[in-house]
Each structure stands twice: as C-alpha cells, then as structure tokens.
Amino acid sequence: MKNLVVLSGAGISAESGLKTFRDSDGLWEGHQVMDVATPEGFRRNPELVLNFYNERRKQVIHSRPNIAHQIIADLEAHYQVWVVTQNVDDLHERAGSKNVLHLHGELLKVRSSYKSDIIYPWTTDLKLGDRCEYGSQLRPHIVWFGEDVPMIYQASHLIKKADILIVIGTSLQVYPAAGLLVHLSAEALLYYIDPKPQHHPSMAAFKHAYLIEEKAVAGMEIILPSLLEFSKI
C-alpha cells in the first residue's frame, strides 16, 4: 500500500461547527490568545484558562465529524494513512481514522503541570484543585505558545515517507508545522486544499502539486476519484 499523509488544520473542523483558531480581530472567543494559550497566562490566571478550555471541550464533545473527516478515514481501505493534525479535537478519531498524530495536544486529555508525561483522559470540567498523583495541578493537554512541539519530529518522519500529502484546512503559516513541507519528496503527489490559500515557498519544489481552492468537504470530494485511481497503480 502507498503511504498517504494528511496534514490538517482548523479549516476541516470549522465545517463541523468548531471555530478556527482566531477571529479576524485576533481574539479567540473574546480573549487575547496570549492570556489563554501561554504558560504565562496560566500562571497569571489559571481559573480563566481552565474555564476557557472547559468551554472548548464542551464544544468538541457536542460536535460531529464531517464528510471530509469521513473520506480521510475511509481512505484507509486503499492506503496506509497517517493524519498529522494541528487540531486539538478528536473528530478524525471519531470518523474512524486509526493513526492520528496531534501536534498541538488534545482537548479531551489533561496533564500534570509537574510532569508533562502524566496524561489522563478528561471529558468533564477541569477545576482548580484537580491534581495529578504527585499533587500538582492538572492543566489542559495543549501545546501553548512558547512550548516545544514534541510530536514534530515524528511528523517530519511520516512526511518523508509519504507518497501523497494532503494539506487541508491549514494556512501553512504557523511554525513549526508549516515547516513540515520541506521534508516531502519532490516526487510525491501534493494536494493543497484551502478556500484562500497562502503562498508557501516550498510549493514550487514539487513536480506534482495541485491547488484546490475549496473548503475541506468540497475539496476532499473533488480529489477522491483521483486518489482511488492512484491507489490502483
């Protein structure tokens, strides 16, 4: 089976009703991003940060995968598929994707603020006083601005092996995720699905690159016949 990697971002979840990372005014649900998505913000006002992610968690729980998520999951019948996602929801998993790598963490998990490898599944509100086994306050299992992205190395390894890369719902402007494209073979097949695509300097390096100026669902429906045909070659 050929290797197919999907690099997904907020745009794919937007069609399930989840808002993209920031509004046009730079705010996220009325908050400055630096207040709710940085370690410093958590130290200043942990209750604000916990409440913020509690609301995001509820939104994810009440959302549903869309057709784009489903098509990606169904492609596992034809390819070895890996999803590398910048999203913190579980919509890819709920659609049936078995191999999902979350670059920026997961909303339905929390972790110790003392030891980052102590991680628990979590579907209810997280409150001050909820502690790990070492007595440290639990925090959202989210990679905040200023923190390392530990899964980026595994993601780059997957991209290197890809015969096909589908970039969907991401502007390719947020690093280090945007830098993953440099690891893709020049011989690989690249689909970039975005209604308002941004120029990426690496795009010119690929011999077989296709720009699909559509939202996620329409874009996946457009390229699906080609993907099914290519899987037979």
Side-chain angles (χ1 to χ4, degrees):
M1 273 189 173
K2 295 182 177 71
N3 292 316
L4 187 154
V5 177
V6 177
L7 176 59
S8 71
I12 191 171
S13 296
E15 290 192 79
S16 289
L18 296 178
K19 289 189 177 181
T20 51
F21 186 71
R22 299 190 216 190
D23 294 327
S24 58
D25 58 5
L27 299 179
W28 193 7
E29 298 289 335
H31 296 283
Q32 294 290 339
V33 174
M34 292 300 121
D35 289 337
V36 293
T38 63
E40 294 79 14
F42 187 56
R43 286 194 290 270
R44 283 195 306 269
N45 195 338
E47 192 166 16
L48 170 69
V49 174
L50 295 181
N51 288 337
F52 176 83
Y53 287 98
N54 288 341
E55 292 304 310
R56 307 290 78 70
R57 191 178 301 110
K58 290 172 186 174
Q59 289 176 3
V60 166
I61 289 171
H62 290 100
S63 65
R64 295 290 179 268
N66 60 54
I67 293 171
H69 293 108
Q70 193 61 61
I71 290 174
I72 290 167
D74 291 346
L75 284 170
E76 292 188 10
H78 307 276
Y79 292 94
Q80 177 63 44
V81 179
W82 270 93
V83 177
V84 177
T85 185
Q86 298 173 74
N87 299 334
V88 294
D89 58 64
D90 67 337
L91 296 181
H92 281 296
E93 288 93 336
R94 277 194 267 159
S97 289
K98 296 182 178 64
N99 304 310
V100 183
L101 185 71
H102 286 270
L103 289 177
H104 297 155
E106 300 177 64
L107 265 175
L108 299 184
K109 293 180 180 179
V110 298
R111 72 175 189 247
S112 168
S113 53
Y114 168 61
K115 294 189 69 175
S116 61
D117 59 344
I118 299 177
I119 301 167
Y120 307 105
W122 204 272
T123 56
T124 59
D125 283 354
L126 180 62
K127 301 181 178 69
L128 285 177
D130 289 331
R131 302 182 182 279
C132 75
E133 60 203 69
Y134 290 92
S136 178
Q137 172 67 43
L138 292 171
R139 53 160 280 182
H141 182 46
I142 302 293
V143 177
W144 286 328
F145 287 102
E147 295 184 319
D148 290 335
V149 182
M151 293 298 175
I152 199 71
Y153 304 105
Q154 186 177 346
S156 63
H157 180 67
L158 293 171
I159 298 285
K160 286 177 183 177
K161 297 195 301 180
D163 298 299
I164 304 173
L165 176 65
I166 301 172
V167 179
I168 181 168
T170 172
S171 65
L172 291 176
Q173 301 299 302
V174 178
Y175 285 83
L180 287 171
L181 225 56
V182 303
H183 298 288
L184 183 66
S185 166
E187 303 296 326
L189 183 59
L190 170 64
Y191 292 102
Y192 180 16
I193 300 171
D194 195 283
K196 297 179 181 179
Q198 303 291 316
H199 172 72
H200 192 284
S202 298
M203 293 288 288
F206 302 105
K207 297 179 181 179
H208 311 289
Y210 300 92
L211 178 60
I212 314 295
E213 295 189 45
E214 297 283 354
K215 292 183 179 180
V217 170
M220 287 305 303
E221 290 176 332
I222 287 169
I223 69 173
L224 178 59
S226 297
L227 290 172
L228 295 179
E229 192 63 32
F230 188 66
S231 70
K232 300 172 186 176
I233 299 174

